[in-house]
Amino acid sequence: MDEKKVMLSGIQPSGDLHLGNYLGAIKNWVDRTEEFDNYYFMADMHTITVRQNPADLRRRTLEQLAQYIACGLDPEKNTLFIQSHVHQHAELGWVLQCYTMFGELSRMTQFKDKSAKHKENINGGLFTYPSLMAADILLYQPDFVPVGEDQKQHCELTRDVAQRFNSIYGDVFKIPEPYIPKAGARVMGLTAPDSKMSKSMPEGCVFLMEKPEDIQRKFKRAITDSDTENCVHYDPANKPGVANLMSIYSAVTGRSYEAIEQEFAGCGYGKFKPAVGDAVVECLRPIREEATRILADKAYLENVYKAGAEKASYVANKTLRKVYKKIGFVAR
Ligand code: TYM
């Protein structure tokens, strides 16, 4: 029997999971569970490139695990783990820093954005973050890395670093492909359709655990466009607000843009916005209920992340041993 291909991805528990994380990343993970050998983790080590409140970080990491499972990631079919529990990430991260160029790191959009936002704390970790992300990925020799559009640049750097390493030492790393969804790859803020949805704009951001009435309020207040047309038509350049709502509706219902235009022909934004809100509420309701139930069972969560770390360490260690040998470290 052919071995299954490998998928791997992670999310930083630096804020509560939101609709962008779900549609850009997690939904793709869940949809492809059966076909792949899957590794999904809470990227806690990445979060400390920005100051975190320790108690909040601990709580959010466990909430994120409960939400992964509630979204449909069965721990029997997916290796779910906490990044800091698998020490090989830090070890390979250091090695790969020595194979990532200063110029490459300087060009990363996430570094530029975050260093502009956190001027008082532009630390070394923020700069070398992509080398750690490359390690997260390459340790597991994945075929695909399912992420939203904003992580494409980091995935491309990972490929460049892996190719550089392989060209010196032979075929150590598999070269992974980013795997980006058609609808939902870049969910924009509901109050600012020119910026991606993120926790830093709470009124424009829909969180997975949010109450239905709050979700509805946010969709009703979503910025549509100031054209006089008032018609649901997909035109991202001229109608970014409506295009964003249409891509959310499409990702949640599976309907095409043409089908959505027909469904709302002659209705105007006043009917369209609450309809998108309803579809999102119904999509998130079972996730919220299941996550609340799972989160109450701390022993179960502990079993999941301990078993996940054990399995992940085993796989990660194989790659790390190979790397250490190639670069000339004496075997333990
Ligand atoms: P992070 O934690 O910012 O985001 C997690 C995932 O959610 C996607 N995403 C979005 N997709 C669509 N629309 C949005 N508005 C939106 N906001 C976020 C992201 O593209 C991502 O897939 N560096 C990564 C975490 C990471 C990682 C990894 C990912 C660390 N190591 C290894 C993959 C593989 C990050 O900061 O994503």
Side-chain angles (χ1 to χ4, degrees):
M1 201 182 81
D2 283 347
E3 282 209 357
K4 280 188 175 175
K5 293 201 166 181
V6 177
M7 273 231 188
L8 165 133
S9 199
I11 299 182
Q12 298 190 59
S14 50
D16 295 328
L17 289 179
H18 57 71
L19 194 61
N21 301 134
Y22 180 68
L23 298 180
I26 303 173
K27 189 166 180 298
N28 251 347
W29 310 353
V30 175
D31 290 349
R32 312 301 297 265
T33 285
E34 298 292 340
E35 284 162 75
F36 291 91
D37 186 10
N38 310 292
Y39 296 84
Y40 298 117
F41 61 97
M42 279 53 76
D44 56 346
M45 292 167 69
H46 283 274
T47 68
I48 61 163
T49 53
V50 171
R51 290 280 174 272
Q52 301 293 330
N53 173 309
D56 288 345
L57 177 57
R58 225 179 324 269
R59 173 183 53 77
R60 272 199 239 101
T61 305
L62 294 179
E63 285 174 0
Q64 190 169 310
L65 175 60
Q67 289 169 38
Y68 278 5
I69 301 169
C71 285
L73 293 175
D74 176 349
E76 298 295 322
K77 298 177 181 164
N78 298 272
T79 303
L80 306 178
F81 65 97
I82 299 174
Q83 183 189 24
S84 62
H85 289 186
V86 182
H87 59 81
Q88 290 83 357
H89 289 244
E91 292 184 58
L92 185 64
W94 168 251
V95 172
L96 295 184
Q97 277 186 48
C98 304
Y99 295 81
T100 316
M101 299 301 137
F102 183 88
E104 289 174 322
L105 293 170
S106 315
R107 285 193 287 278
M108 293 295 111
T109 314
Q110 187 164 314
F111 171 69
K112 289 189 210 162
D113 288 351
K114 287 206 172 162
S115 48
K117 247 189 229 156
H118 303 278
K119 283 206 173 59
E120 71 305 334
N121 183 22
I122 307 177
N123 58 70
L126 195 61
F127 189 63
T128 59
Y129 179 115
S131 305
L132 178 59
M133 178 158 162
D136 299 338
I137 296 172
L138 298 174
L139 278 172
Y140 300 90
Q141 310 281 1
D143 296 275
F144 297 106
V145 182
V147 285
E149 182 74 42
D150 63 329
Q151 293 300 316
K152 197 170 164 214
Q153 195 187 32
H154 286 159
C155 291
E156 280 163 1
L157 180 59
T158 299
R159 289 167 58 89
D160 292 344
V161 171
Q163 268 153 355
R164 181 171 301 136
F165 195 92
N166 285 356
S167 72
I168 307 171
Y169 302 104
D171 275 346
V172 176
F173 297 124
K174 187 177 268 179
I175 309 298
E177 297 273 347
Y179 180 81
I180 295 170
K182 283 200 188 75
R186 192 169 174 81
V187 179
M188 308 308 275
L190 299 184
T191 46
D194 52 345
S195 335
K196 71 171 183 177
M197 180 177 280
S198 83
K199 60 175 189 305
S200 55
M201 280 190 288
E203 264 311 296
C205 183
V206 173
F207 296 97
L208 296 199
M209 298 300 281
E210 212 160 6
K211 290 199 223 89
E213 53 274 29
D214 292 335
I215 298 179
Q216 275 298 6
R217 186 193 72 243
K218 289 181 180 179
F219 276 100
K220 281 188 190 142
R221 288 196 195 151
I223 304 264
T224 34
D225 306 289
S226 51
D227 56 356
T228 46
E229 237 186 334
N230 193 21
C231 118
V232 177
H233 168 58
Y234 190 72
D235 179 0
N238 297 309
K239 292 155 74 86
V242 171
N244 185 40
L245 292 176
M246 286 180 79
S247 81
I248 293 173
Y249 194 66
S250 170
V252 168
T253 61
R255 280 173 222 167
S256 68
Y257 294 136
E258 297 77 57
I260 299 170
E261 284 172 6
Q262 275 171 20
E263 186 181 345
F264 293 97
C267 287
Y269 306 145
K271 280 231 168 90
F272 178 53
K273 291 199 281 187
V276 183
D278 279 340
V280 170
V281 164
E282 288 322 312
C283 167
L284 297 184
R285 189 189 302 281
I287 296 175
R288 194 184 73 242
E289 289 173 359
E290 184 64 359
T292 309
R293 191 187 66 73
I294 296 170
L295 198 56
D297 192 347
K298 294 282 184 289
Y300 168 71
L301 284 176
E302 191 176 324
N303 282 339
V304 170
Y305 68 68
K306 285 195 167 159
E310 201 173 314
K311 173 145 188 248
S313 296
Y314 177 78
V315 176
N317 207 39
K318 280 206 229 169
T319 304
L320 187 69
R321 277 210 321 266
K322 205 167 169 186
V323 167
Y324 277 5
K325 189 169 174 197
K326 292 279 184 187
I327 57 183
F329 290 176
V330 173
R332 279 181 236 194

